Amino acid sequence: PSPTPTVIIPTPTPTAKVFTPTPPGPTPIPILQSGDYDGDGSSDIGVFRPQQGLGSSRGVGTSFFGQAGDMPASGDYDGDGTTDLAIFRSSAGFWAVSGMTRAYFGSGSDISVPGDYDGDGICEIGVFRGSSGLWAIRGVTRIYFGSTTDYPMPGDYDGDGFYDFAVFRPSTGLWAVSGVTRVYFGASGDLPLPRDYDGDGSADIGIVRFSSGLWAIRGVSRFYFGVSGDYPVPADYVGDGTVCPGIFRGTTALWAIRGVTRAYYGMSGDMPVAR
C-alpha cells in the first residue's frame, strides 16, 4: 500500500490499495453518488485513469479532468439528472466539478463523501474526517459520527430522499446509521457496499468478501460473484431502480454485470467509476 492513504491508484492487485484498511484508519473508498453520465436513468460503465486525469464513459465520451492522486467524486451537482465528472484532491482540499465549479473544502486526511444530504435532488460536496468523526457537508451541516477506524458509508437507508450519515466498523462488523439503526453485519476484511439491491428506494446493508467472492446483502440475498482482486461495481445498469451486482477486473478490463452483460472497457490501472 501507498504510504499516503488518500491516493487510490489501482495496480494489478487492487485489494492492496483500495480494500485493505491501513492503520490507523481505513483506506479511502471512492464514494460516488451516481454513474448516469448520459441522463438516461441507468448507470454507465466508466473509468477514471488518474495518471492522466482521463475520465471515460462507455457510449458517452472521454475527457481529461484531474491528475494523479485525485479521487473521483462524481454526482449530480446541478440537479439535471445527469452525473457530473468531479474530483477531490485531498492533498489540497480541492474539489473540481467539470464545467461547473471549483472549491476548497476539507483537508489531506479527509475522505470525500458527496451526496444529497438535504433532499433537494442535488449532490453536495462533503468530507468525513476519521480522526474526529467529523462529517462536514458544504452549505448544509456539520456533525460528529464515527471514529478513526470507521469507513464512511452514507446513503438513503430509510427511503426518505435524504442521505443518512453512516459508518461501517470493520473491527467488529458494526453498521451505525445515524437516527436509523445499529446492526452487526460482516467482518474485518469485508468491503461494505450499501446499495438499493431490492428496488424499494432505500439502501440495503451489504458486504463483499474477496477471499471467497461472497456477496451478502442483509435481508435480501447471498451469492458468490467475482474473485480476489476484482473491484465491485454494483449499480443500476438497467434503469429499473434496482442495483445489479457487478465487478471490474483491472488486469483484463473486464466488466461483468450479474445477469446483465459482460464487456471489456478500460485498461490495467484504471479505476471504475460506475455507481
Side-chain angles (χ1 to χ4, degrees), residues 143 145 153-167 174-183 200-205 218:
I143 186 176
F145 191 76
M153 288 288 116
D156 183 4
Y157 290 86
D158 54 8
D160 64 356
F162 293 74
Y163 260 40
D164 303 299
F165 302 102
V167 297
L174 170 69
W175 291 75
V177 185
S178 181
V180 180
T181 190
R182 290 172 62 93
V183 66
D200 66 354
S202 61
D204 305 298
I205 288 171
R218 184 172 181 261

Side-chain angles (χ1 to χ4, degrees), residues 11 30 72 126 195 200 229:
T11 69
R195 302 287 191 274
D200 66 354

Side-chain angles (χ1 to χ4, degrees), residues 81 139 183 206 216 260-261:
V183 66
V260 178
T261 191

Side-chain angles (χ1 to χ4, degrees), residues 55-152:
S56 182
S57 182
R58 184 171 177 246
V60 180
T62 298
S63 61
F64 289 89
F65 192 70
Q67 65 184 36
D70 292 348
M71 291 178 63
S74 299
D76 183 2
Y77 288 88
D78 56 6
D80 65 355
T82 302
T83 297
D84 304 298
L85 185 63
I87 60 94
F88 173 59
R89 189 170 300 155
S90 60
S91 60
F94 174 66
W95 291 74
V97 183
S98 182
M100 194 175 310
T101 190
R102 294 160 65 93
Y104 289 89
F105 194 78
S107 66
S109 62
D110 295 344
I111 298 174
S112 59
V113 286
D116 183 7
Y117 293 89
D118 58 6
D120 63 355
I122 297 174
C123 182
E124 280 90 40
I125 287 171
V127 297
F128 172 73
R129 186 167 298 160
S131 59
S132 61
L134 170 68
W135 294 72
I137 312 304
R138 186 171 181 251
V140 179
T141 192
R142 291 167 64 94
I143 186 176
Y144 290 88
F145 191 76
S147 65
T148 302
T149 57
D150 294 344
Y151 286 92

Side-chain angles (χ1 to χ4, degrees), residues 255-269:
W255 291 73
I257 314 303
R258 188 171 184 253
V260 178
T261 191
R262 290 169 63 93
Y264 290 89
Y265 194 77
M267 60 181 286
S268 179

